[in-house]
C-alpha cells in the first residue's frame, strides 16, 4: 500500500488538479448567478459572463458617450503610468539608500534607524497629508506609491548588501579598489537582481496604494472606475476590472522574472531556478 | 449543485429571516435621517413594532452607499436614501422599491462652493470636486443648466465625501459640490462662496425611507409600524418644548454636532413634520416632473443600466401618474401609509 505522502501526481494530473479549484469556483459562480438572475433578470450582484462581456465590449471598444474616449484603455494607461512612475522612483531611491546604508557604516549609523522608523508609518494614514502637500493631482498618487514602497526596498537592499561576504570586499581592496569602485563593481551588480526581487514583492502594496489613491480623488484610472461604478452596484464592470488588474499584476511580475533571468542568469542559478 | 450554490449565496448576500415577522431597516448619518437613530434609541420603533406584533431591527450603517447596496442585495427590508439613489441603485437593479415615507427635501443642504468668486458662471473651465454620480453631481448639472452651461464646460473630479473638507483648502481645488454637515464646514473657510444650492431647485433632492415593495405588500404591518413610529418621532422633535429640544440635542450629538448645529442643518432642510404635508407633496404633479429630471440625468450618465434604451426605461409610479415604462415600474411613491398617519388610523 503506497502511503498518501508518497503519491506524486503525474504531469497531466498535476495540471488537472491545479485547474480543479478554478473550475469549481467558476461553476459555483455560474450556477449562483443563474439562480439570482432567474429570480430577478436585472440583478446586479452576480452578473452573468455575457453581461460582463457586454460591459467590457462597451468600455474597451466603444467610445464613451460623454467624452469620446475608450474608457478601459484610458483607465489602464493612467493607472500603469502612475504605478510605473511610482515604482521607478521607489526603486531608484530604495536602491540608493539601501546601497549607501548597506555599504558605508557611517551612513548606516545615521540613516538606517530613520529608514526603519519611516517604514513603520502606514502610508495610507499619510494620505490626507499628501493631498494637502501635493494637491489632489497625479503627484500625490505617485508620491503615495513612492513613499509606501521606498522604505521597504531600501531596507531589503540594505540587508542584502550586508549579506555579501566580507571576503569579497577585502579581496577587492587588496586588488586596489576604492570605495566607489567596490560599490560599482562588487555591490551593485550583485544587488541588481535583489532589487528586482524586492520590486516584485512590493508590487502588491504598490497596487493597493494606487487603487486607494484613485478611489479618493480622480478623473480616471482602474481604481477610480471600480469605486465610481460601486455607487450603483455595477458588478458587471467591477468583476472584469478586478480580473484585468490581477492579469496586469501577473504580467508585470512575469516580465520582471524574465528580465532578471535574462540579465542575471547567475542569480537564477544561485536561487536554484 | 445549483441549489447548493444558490443557497450558499443567498445565505451570504441576504439575511435569512427565520421568523417571518422580523424585519431589518438601515439608515445612515444625515440630518433628515437622524430621527431613525433617535427612535431606535428611545424604543419608539420597538413600541410600534410591538403594537403590530412584529420585530424591527434598526441598524445604522456608516457608509451611505454601502447601506443602499446592502438593501439592494436584500440584506435589509427598508433603508433611507434619496430619490435619485433609489432610482439608480435598487430600482435600476431590478429591486421593486417603494418610497414609504417622504421625510424631507433638501432646501439648501446641498451646495456648489467656489473659491474667490461669488458668481456661478465663473465655474467655466474649472475642476469641480464632488462625489460623482451622487445628488451633488445632479445639483451641479441643474446649476450649470441655470446659467446656460453643461457638464462639458467643467471637469468633474470624483472625490470621496470623507476627504472633501480636508481638500478644500489645498491649492489645486477651486470648486466643490457637497452636502451638510460638510458644506457648512467648508463655508466657514476663508474664500469660500456658496454660488448655488438646493434651495434654488426646491423639492428635487428628496430624502426617503425606501422599502422593498414585495415585502411591504406581504407585510402591511411593517409599513404601518414604521410610518407610525416616524410620525411619533416627528411630533416629539418639532417645536420648542423641552422634550423636542432634548430630542434634537440627542440627534445633534449623534451626528457630531450640538443643538445649534443641528438646528442650523434643519433650517436648510424642509422637514415634513406633518404627514398631511408629505402626502400633499407626494401627490403633487411637481414630484413627477422632478423624477423625470432625475431619470433623464441618470440616463445621460448611464446609471439606469446598459439595457436601458431611454430615460423612461424604468417606470416611476407617483400618485399623479406614471413616468416612463408602465410595464417596468420599479420605483413607486405610495402615500397611502402617510395618509393613514394623517387620518390618525395607525
Amino acid at each position: 500500500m503506497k502511503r498518501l505522502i508518497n503519491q506524486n501526481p503525474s504531469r497531466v494530473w498535476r495540471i488537472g488538479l491545479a485547474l480543479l479549484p478554478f473550475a469549481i469556483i467558476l461553476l459555483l459562480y455560474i450556477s449562483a448567478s443563474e439562480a439570482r438572475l432567474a429570480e430577478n433578470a436585472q440583478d446586479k450582484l452576480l452578473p452573468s459572463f455575457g453581461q460582463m462581456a457586454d460591459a467590457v465590449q462597451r468600455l474597451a471598444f466603444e467610445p464613451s458617450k460623454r467624452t469620446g474616449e475608450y474608457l478601459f484603455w484610458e483607465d489602464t494607461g493612467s493607472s500603469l503610468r502612475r504605478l510605473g512612475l511610482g515604482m521607478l522612483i521607489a526603486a531608484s531611491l530604495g536602491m540608493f539608500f539601501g546601497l549607501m546604508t548597506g555599504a558605508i557604516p557611517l551612513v548606516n549609523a545615521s540613516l538606517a534607524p530613520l529608514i526603519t522608523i519611516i517604514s513603520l508609518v502606514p502610508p495610507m494614514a499619510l494620505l490626507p497629508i499628501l493631498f494637502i502637500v501635493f494637491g489632489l493631482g497625479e503627484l500625490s498618487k505617485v508620491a503615495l506609491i513612492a513613499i509606501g514602497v521606498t522604505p521597504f526596498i531600501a531596507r531589503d537592499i540594505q540587508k542584502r548588501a550586508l549579506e555579501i561576504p566580507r571576503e569579497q570586499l577585502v579581496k577587492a581592496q587588496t586588488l586596489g579598489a576604492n570605495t566607489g569602485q567596490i560599490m560599482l563593481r562588487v555591490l551593485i551588480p550583485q544587488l541588481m537582481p535583489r532589487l528586482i526581487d524586492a520590486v516584485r514583492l512590493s508590487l502588491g502594496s504598490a497596487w493597493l496604494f494606487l487603487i486607494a489613491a484613485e478611489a479618493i480623488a480622480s478623473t480616471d484610472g482602474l481604481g477610480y472606475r471600480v469605486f465610481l461604478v460601486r455607487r450603483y452596484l455595477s458588478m458587471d464592470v467591477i468583476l472584469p476590472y478586478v480580473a484585468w488588474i490581477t492579469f496586469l499584476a501577473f504580467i508585470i511580475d512575469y516580465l520582471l522574472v524574465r528580465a532578471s533571468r535574462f540579465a542575471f542568469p547567475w542569480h537564477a542559478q544561485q536561487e536554484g531556478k | 449543485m445549483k441549489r447548493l450554490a444558490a443557497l450558499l449565496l443567498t445565505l451570504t448576500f441576504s439575511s435569512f429571516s427565520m421568523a417571518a415577522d422580523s424585519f431589518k431597516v438601515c439608515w445612515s448619518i444625515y440630518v433628515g435621517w437622524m430621527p431613525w437613530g433617535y427612535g431606535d434609541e428611545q424604543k419608539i420603533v420597538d413600541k410600534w413594532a410591538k403594537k403590530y406584533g412584529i420585530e424591527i431591527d434598526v441598524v445604522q450603517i456608516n457608509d451611505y452607499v454601502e447601506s443602499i447596496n446592502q438593501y439592494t442585495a436584500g440584506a435589509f427590508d427598508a433603508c433611507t436614501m434619496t430619490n435619485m439613489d433609489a432610482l439608480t441603485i435598487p430600482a435600476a437593479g431590478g429591486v421593486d422599491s417603494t418610497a414609504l415615507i417622504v421625510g424631507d427635501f433638501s432646501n439648501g443642504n446641498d451646495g456648489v462652493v467656489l473659491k474667490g468668486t461669488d458668481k456661478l458662471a465663473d465655474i467655466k473651465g474649472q475642476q469641480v470636486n464632488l462625489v460623482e454620480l451622487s445628488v451633488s453631481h445632479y445639483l451641479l448639472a441643474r446649476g450649470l443648466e441655470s446659467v446656460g452651461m453643461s457638464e462639458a464646460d467643467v471637469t468633474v473630479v470624483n472625490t470621496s465625501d470623507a476627504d472633501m473638507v480636508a481638500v478644500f483648502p489645498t491649492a489645486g481645488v477651486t470648486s466643490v459640490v457637497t452636502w451638510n454637515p460638510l458644506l457648512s464646514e467648508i463655508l466657514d473657510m476663508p474664500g469660500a462662496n456658496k454660488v448655488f444650492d438646493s434651495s434654488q431647485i426646491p423639492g428635487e433632492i428628496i430624502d426617503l425611507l425606501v422599502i422593498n415593495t414585495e415585502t411591504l405588500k406581504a407585510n402591511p404591518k411593517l409599513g404601518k409600524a414604521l410610518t407610525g413610529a416616524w410620525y411619533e418621532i416627528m411630533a416629539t422633535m418639532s417645536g420648542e418644548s423641552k422634550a423636542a429640544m432634548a430630542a434634537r440635542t440627542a440627534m445633534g450629538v449623534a451626528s457630531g454636532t450640538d443643538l445649534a448645529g443641528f438646528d442650523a442643518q434643519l433650517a436648510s432642510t424642509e422637514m415634513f413634520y406633518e404627514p398631511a404635508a408629505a402626502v400633499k407633496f407626494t401627490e403633487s404633479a411637481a414630484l413627477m416632473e422632478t423624477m423625470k429630471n432625475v431619470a433623464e440625468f441618470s440616463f445621460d450618465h448611464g446609471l439606469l443600466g446598459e439595457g436601458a434604451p431611454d430615460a423612461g426605461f424604468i417606470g416611476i409610479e407617483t400618485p399623479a401618474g406614471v413616468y416612463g415604462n408602465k410595464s417596468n415600474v420599479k420605483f413607486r411613491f405610495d402615500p397611502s401609509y402617510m395618509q393613514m398617519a394623517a387620518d390618525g388610523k395607525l
Side-chain angles (χ1 to χ4, degrees), chain A residues 197-220:
Chain A
D197 285 348
V199 166
R200 280 181 59 202
L201 285 175
S202 54
L203 265 171
S205 359
W207 275 104
L208 175 72
F209 297 140
L210 174 75
I211 305 282
E214 287 181 343
I216 288 171
S218 209
T219 52
D220 56 6

PDB file of all heavy atoms in Angstrom, chain A residues 197-220:
ATOM      1  N   ASP A 197      13.843  41.505  -7.295  1.00  0.00           N
ATOM      2  CA  ASP A 197      13.038  40.689  -6.367  1.00  0.00           C
ATOM      3  C   ASP A 197      12.237  41.577  -5.420  1.00  0.00           C
ATOM      4  O   ASP A 197      11.048  41.337  -5.169  1.00  0.00           O
ATOM      5  CB  ASP A 197      13.945  39.770  -5.533  1.00  0.00           C
ATOM      6  CG  ASP A 197      14.451  38.591  -6.359  1.00  0.00           C
ATOM      7  OD1 ASP A 197      13.908  38.396  -7.464  1.00  0.00           O
ATOM      8  OD2 ASP A 197      15.367  37.897  -5.897  1.00  0.00           O
ATOM      9  N   ALA A 198      12.902  42.603  -4.897  1.00  0.00           N
ATOM     10  CA  ALA A 198      12.227  43.494  -3.946  1.00  0.00           C
ATOM     11  C   ALA A 198      11.067  44.219  -4.627  1.00  0.00           C
ATOM     12  O   ALA A 198       9.987  44.372  -4.051  1.00  0.00           O
ATOM     13  CB  ALA A 198      13.221  44.496  -3.373  1.00  0.00           C
ATOM     14  N   VAL A 199      11.300  44.643  -5.877  1.00  0.00           N
ATOM     15  CA  VAL A 199      10.230  45.318  -6.618  1.00  0.00           C
ATOM     16  C   VAL A 199       9.048  44.370  -6.822  1.00  0.00           C
ATOM     17  O   VAL A 199       7.894  44.742  -6.624  1.00  0.00           O
ATOM     18  CB  VAL A 199      10.757  45.834  -7.983  1.00  0.00           C
ATOM     19  CG1 VAL A 199       9.610  46.228  -8.889  1.00  0.00           C
ATOM     20  CG2 VAL A 199      11.686  47.009  -7.766  1.00  0.00           C
ATOM     21  N   ARG A 200       9.385  43.120  -7.181  1.00  0.00           N
ATOM     22  CA  ARG A 200       8.299  42.140  -7.383  1.00  0.00           C
ATOM     23  C   ARG A 200       7.473  41.985  -6.113  1.00  0.00           C
ATOM     24  O   ARG A 200       6.251  41.971  -6.143  1.00  0.00           O
ATOM     25  CB  ARG A 200       8.887  40.783  -7.751  1.00  0.00           C
ATOM     26  CG  ARG A 200       9.290  40.665  -9.200  1.00  0.00           C
ATOM     27  CD  ARG A 200       9.843  39.283  -9.455  1.00  0.00           C
ATOM     28  NE  ARG A 200       8.881  38.232  -9.156  1.00  0.00           N
ATOM     29  CZ  ARG A 200       9.216  36.971  -8.887  1.00  0.00           C
ATOM     30  NH1 ARG A 200      10.481  36.606  -8.848  1.00  0.00           N
ATOM     31  NH2 ARG A 200       8.283  36.077  -8.655  1.00  0.00           N
ATOM     32  N   LEU A 201       8.174  41.864  -4.982  1.00  0.00           N
ATOM     33  CA  LEU A 201       7.465  41.632  -3.723  1.00  0.00           C
ATOM     34  C   LEU A 201       6.637  42.844  -3.311  1.00  0.00           C
ATOM     35  O   LEU A 201       5.606  42.702  -2.661  1.00  0.00           O
ATOM     36  CB  LEU A 201       8.462  41.290  -2.613  1.00  0.00           C
ATOM     37  CG  LEU A 201       9.031  39.879  -2.687  1.00  0.00           C
ATOM     38  CD1 LEU A 201      10.081  39.691  -1.616  1.00  0.00           C
ATOM     39  CD2 LEU A 201       7.913  38.846  -2.523  1.00  0.00           C
ATOM     40  N   SER A 202       7.102  44.043  -3.685  1.00  0.00           N
ATOM     41  CA  SER A 202       6.380  45.232  -3.216  1.00  0.00           C
ATOM     42  C   SER A 202       5.301  45.679  -4.201  1.00  0.00           C
ATOM     43  O   SER A 202       4.565  46.615  -3.915  1.00  0.00           O
ATOM     44  CB  SER A 202       7.361  46.367  -2.931  1.00  0.00           C
ATOM     45  OG  SER A 202       8.150  46.601  -4.064  1.00  0.00           O
ATOM     46  N   LEU A 203       5.209  45.003  -5.356  1.00  0.00           N
ATOM     47  CA  LEU A 203       4.200  45.427  -6.325  1.00  0.00           C
ATOM     48  C   LEU A 203       2.781  45.298  -5.780  1.00  0.00           C
ATOM     49  O   LEU A 203       1.906  46.106  -6.086  1.00  0.00           O
ATOM     50  CB  LEU A 203       4.324  44.605  -7.610  1.00  0.00           C
ATOM     51  CG  LEU A 203       5.166  45.265  -8.695  1.00  0.00           C
ATOM     52  CD1 LEU A 203       5.405  44.300  -9.833  1.00  0.00           C
ATOM     53  CD2 LEU A 203       4.472  46.515  -9.218  1.00  0.00           C
ATOM     54  N   GLY A 204       2.581  44.282  -4.944  1.00  0.00           N
ATOM     55  CA  GLY A 204       1.258  44.099  -4.355  1.00  0.00           C
ATOM     56  C   GLY A 204       0.825  45.327  -3.576  1.00  0.00           C
ATOM     57  O   GLY A 204      -0.261  45.869  -3.775  1.00  0.00           O
ATOM     58  N   SER A 205       1.739  45.820  -2.710  1.00  0.00           N
ATOM     59  CA  SER A 205       1.383  47.019  -1.933  1.00  0.00           C
ATOM     60  C   SER A 205       1.262  48.223  -2.852  1.00  0.00           C
ATOM     61  O   SER A 205       0.413  49.080  -2.630  1.00  0.00           O
ATOM     62  CB  SER A 205       2.378  47.311  -0.825  1.00  0.00           C
ATOM     63  OG  SER A 205       3.389  46.369  -0.772  1.00  0.00           O
ATOM     64  N   ALA A 206       2.099  48.277  -3.892  1.00  0.00           N
ATOM     65  CA  ALA A 206       2.031  49.419  -4.809  1.00  0.00           C
ATOM     66  C   ALA A 206       0.648  49.500  -5.461  1.00  0.00           C
ATOM     67  O   ALA A 206       0.054  50.571  -5.552  1.00  0.00           O
ATOM     68  CB  ALA A 206       3.117  49.298  -5.870  1.00  0.00           C
ATOM     69  N   TRP A 207       0.124  48.363  -5.877  1.00  0.00           N
ATOM     70  CA  TRP A 207      -1.233  48.340  -6.461  1.00  0.00           C
ATOM     71  C   TRP A 207      -2.249  48.835  -5.441  1.00  0.00           C
ATOM     72  O   TRP A 207      -3.149  49.598  -5.748  1.00  0.00           O
ATOM     73  CB  TRP A 207      -1.610  46.926  -6.902  1.00  0.00           C
ATOM     74  CG  TRP A 207      -1.124  46.591  -8.278  1.00  0.00           C
ATOM     75  CD1 TRP A 207      -0.064  45.796  -8.599  1.00  0.00           C
ATOM     76  CD2 TRP A 207      -1.692  47.022  -9.530  1.00  0.00           C
ATOM     77  NE1 TRP A 207       0.069  45.735  -9.958  1.00  0.00           N
ATOM     78  CE2 TRP A 207      -0.911  46.471 -10.555  1.00  0.00           C
ATOM     79  CE3 TRP A 207      -2.766  47.843  -9.873  1.00  0.00           C
ATOM     80  CZ2 TRP A 207      -1.175  46.682 -11.907  1.00  0.00           C
ATOM     81  CZ3 TRP A 207      -3.028  48.058 -11.217  1.00  0.00           C
ATOM     82  CH2 TRP A 207      -2.241  47.483 -12.214  1.00  0.00           C
ATOM     83  N   LEU A 208      -2.088  48.346  -4.209  1.00  0.00           N
ATOM     84  CA  LEU A 208      -3.009  48.744  -3.149  1.00  0.00           C
ATOM     85  C   LEU A 208      -3.012  50.265  -2.984  1.00  0.00           C
ATOM     86  O   LEU A 208      -4.076  50.896  -2.933  1.00  0.00           O
ATOM     87  CB  LEU A 208      -2.593  48.062  -1.845  1.00  0.00           C
ATOM     88  CG  LEU A 208      -3.363  48.454  -0.595  1.00  0.00           C
ATOM     89  CD1 LEU A 208      -4.759  47.886  -0.647  1.00  0.00           C
ATOM     90  CD2 LEU A 208      -2.651  47.971   0.648  1.00  0.00           C
ATOM     91  N   PHE A 209      -1.801  50.861  -2.939  1.00  0.00           N
ATOM     92  CA  PHE A 209      -1.711  52.311  -2.770  1.00  0.00           C
ATOM     93  C   PHE A 209      -2.339  53.028  -3.970  1.00  0.00           C
ATOM     94  O   PHE A 209      -3.029  54.022  -3.820  1.00  0.00           O
ATOM     95  CB  PHE A 209      -0.249  52.747  -2.608  1.00  0.00           C
ATOM     96  CG  PHE A 209       0.408  52.172  -1.386  1.00  0.00           C
ATOM     97  CD1 PHE A 209       1.717  51.725  -1.428  1.00  0.00           C
ATOM     98  CD2 PHE A 209      -0.284  52.068  -0.196  1.00  0.00           C
ATOM     99  CE1 PHE A 209       2.319  51.181  -0.304  1.00  0.00           C
ATOM    100  CE2 PHE A 209       0.306  51.536   0.928  1.00  0.00           C
ATOM    101  CZ  PHE A 209       1.616  51.092   0.875  1.00  0.00           C
ATOM    102  N   LEU A 210      -2.074  52.490  -5.160  1.00  0.00           N
ATOM    103  CA  LEU A 210      -2.596  53.115  -6.375  1.00  0.00           C
ATOM    104  C   LEU A 210      -4.125  53.145  -6.354  1.00  0.00           C
ATOM    105  O   LEU A 210      -4.753  54.188  -6.549  1.00  0.00           O
ATOM    106  CB  LEU A 210      -2.109  52.344  -7.605  1.00  0.00           C
ATOM    107  CG  LEU A 210      -2.692  52.815  -8.925  1.00  0.00           C
ATOM    108  CD1 LEU A 210      -2.046  54.116  -9.336  1.00  0.00           C
ATOM    109  CD2 LEU A 210      -2.524  51.785 -10.013  1.00  0.00           C
ATOM    110  N   ILE A 211      -4.714  51.979  -6.076  1.00  0.00           N
ATOM    111  CA  ILE A 211      -6.171  51.888  -6.093  1.00  0.00           C
ATOM    112  C   ILE A 211      -6.773  52.792  -5.015  1.00  0.00           C
ATOM    113  O   ILE A 211      -7.750  53.494  -5.242  1.00  0.00           O
ATOM    114  CB  ILE A 211      -6.633  50.421  -5.870  1.00  0.00           C
ATOM    115  CG1 ILE A 211      -5.988  49.497  -6.888  1.00  0.00           C
ATOM    116  CG2 ILE A 211      -8.140  50.307  -5.875  1.00  0.00           C
ATOM    117  CD1 ILE A 211      -6.568  49.484  -8.244  1.00  0.00           C
ATOM    118  N   ALA A 212      -6.122  52.796  -3.845  1.00  0.00           N
ATOM    119  CA  ALA A 212      -6.641  53.615  -2.748  1.00  0.00           C
ATOM    120  C   ALA A 212      -6.610  55.091  -3.114  1.00  0.00           C
ATOM    121  O   ALA A 212      -7.574  55.827  -2.890  1.00  0.00           O
ATOM    122  CB  ALA A 212      -5.832  53.362  -1.483  1.00  0.00           C
ATOM    123  N   ALA A 213      -5.497  55.539  -3.718  1.00  0.00           N
ATOM    124  CA  ALA A 213      -5.384  56.952  -4.075  1.00  0.00           C
ATOM    125  C   ALA A 213      -6.401  57.305  -5.151  1.00  0.00           C
ATOM    126  O   ALA A 213      -7.017  58.371  -5.107  1.00  0.00           O
ATOM    127  CB  ALA A 213      -3.964  57.259  -4.558  1.00  0.00           C
ATOM    128  N   GLU A 214      -6.585  56.404  -6.102  1.00  0.00           N
ATOM    129  CA  GLU A 214      -7.538  56.684  -7.181  1.00  0.00           C
ATOM    130  C   GLU A 214      -8.972  56.678  -6.677  1.00  0.00           C
ATOM    131  O   GLU A 214      -9.831  57.368  -7.221  1.00  0.00           O
ATOM    132  CB  GLU A 214      -7.382  55.655  -8.301  1.00  0.00           C
ATOM    133  CG  GLU A 214      -6.136  55.861  -9.119  1.00  0.00           C
ATOM    134  CD  GLU A 214      -5.997  54.855 -10.236  1.00  0.00           C
ATOM    135  OE1 GLU A 214      -6.680  53.800 -10.191  1.00  0.00           O
ATOM    136  OE2 GLU A 214      -5.217  55.089 -11.145  1.00  0.00           O
ATOM    137  N   ALA A 215      -9.216  55.895  -5.646  1.00  0.00           N
ATOM    138  CA  ALA A 215     -10.581  55.811  -5.118  1.00  0.00           C
ATOM    139  C   ALA A 215     -10.974  57.128  -4.460  1.00  0.00           C
ATOM    140  O   ALA A 215     -12.142  57.472  -4.392  1.00  0.00           O
ATOM    141  CB  ALA A 215     -10.686  54.672  -4.114  1.00  0.00           C
ATOM    142  N   ILE A 216      -9.998  57.877  -3.954  1.00  0.00           N
ATOM    143  CA  ILE A 216     -10.320  59.056  -3.162  1.00  0.00           C
ATOM    144  C   ILE A 216     -10.521  60.294  -4.011  1.00  0.00           C
ATOM    145  O   ILE A 216     -11.468  61.037  -3.815  1.00  0.00           O
ATOM    146  CB  ILE A 216      -9.247  59.265  -2.072  1.00  0.00           C
ATOM    147  CG1 ILE A 216      -9.441  58.180  -1.019  1.00  0.00           C
ATOM    148  CG2 ILE A 216      -9.364  60.630  -1.451  1.00  0.00           C
ATOM    149  CD1 ILE A 216      -8.369  58.113  -0.002  1.00  0.00           C
ATOM    150  N   ALA A 217      -9.659  60.539  -4.984  1.00  0.00           N
ATOM    151  CA  ALA A 217      -9.858  61.711  -5.835  1.00  0.00           C
ATOM    152  C   ALA A 217      -9.232  61.456  -7.187  1.00  0.00           C
ATOM    153  O   ALA A 217      -8.026  61.274  -7.278  1.00  0.00           O
ATOM    154  CB  ALA A 217      -9.213  62.942  -5.210  1.00  0.00           C
ATOM    155  N   SER A 218     -10.057  61.409  -8.221  1.00  0.00           N
ATOM    156  CA  SER A 218      -9.505  61.080  -9.524  1.00  0.00           C
ATOM    157  C   SER A 218     -10.488  61.380 -10.636  1.00  0.00           C
ATOM    158  O   SER A 218     -11.683  61.559 -10.389  1.00  0.00           O
ATOM    159  CB  SER A 218      -9.177  59.593  -9.536  1.00  0.00           C
ATOM    160  OG  SER A 218      -8.127  59.341 -10.401  1.00  0.00           O
ATOM    161  N   THR A 219      -9.964  61.454 -11.858  1.00  0.00           N
ATOM    162  CA  THR A 219     -10.846  61.556 -13.010  1.00  0.00           C
ATOM    163  C   THR A 219     -10.712  60.343 -13.920  1.00  0.00           C
ATOM    164  O   THR A 219     -11.481  60.187 -14.855  1.00  0.00           O
ATOM    165  CB  THR A 219     -10.529  62.815 -13.849  1.00  0.00           C
ATOM    166  OG1 THR A 219      -9.139  62.812 -14.144  1.00  0.00           O
ATOM    167  CG2 THR A 219     -10.882  64.083 -13.103  1.00  0.00           C
ATOM    168  N   ASP A 220      -9.722  59.496 -13.679  1.00  0.00           N
ATOM    169  CA  ASP A 220      -9.593  58.257 -14.450  1.00  0.00           C
ATOM    170  C   ASP A 220      -8.712  57.266 -13.689  1.00  0.00           C
ATOM    171  O   ASP A 220      -8.168  57.592 -12.641  1.00  0.00           O
ATOM    172  CB  ASP A 220      -9.013  58.525 -15.845  1.00  0.00           C
ATOM    173  CG  ASP A 220      -7.668  59.248 -15.765  1.00  0.00           C
ATOM    174  OD1 ASP A 220      -7.153  59.427 -14.649  1.00  0.00           O
ATOM    175  OD2 ASP A 220      -7.159  59.631 -16.816  1.00  0.00           O
TER     176      ASP A 220
END
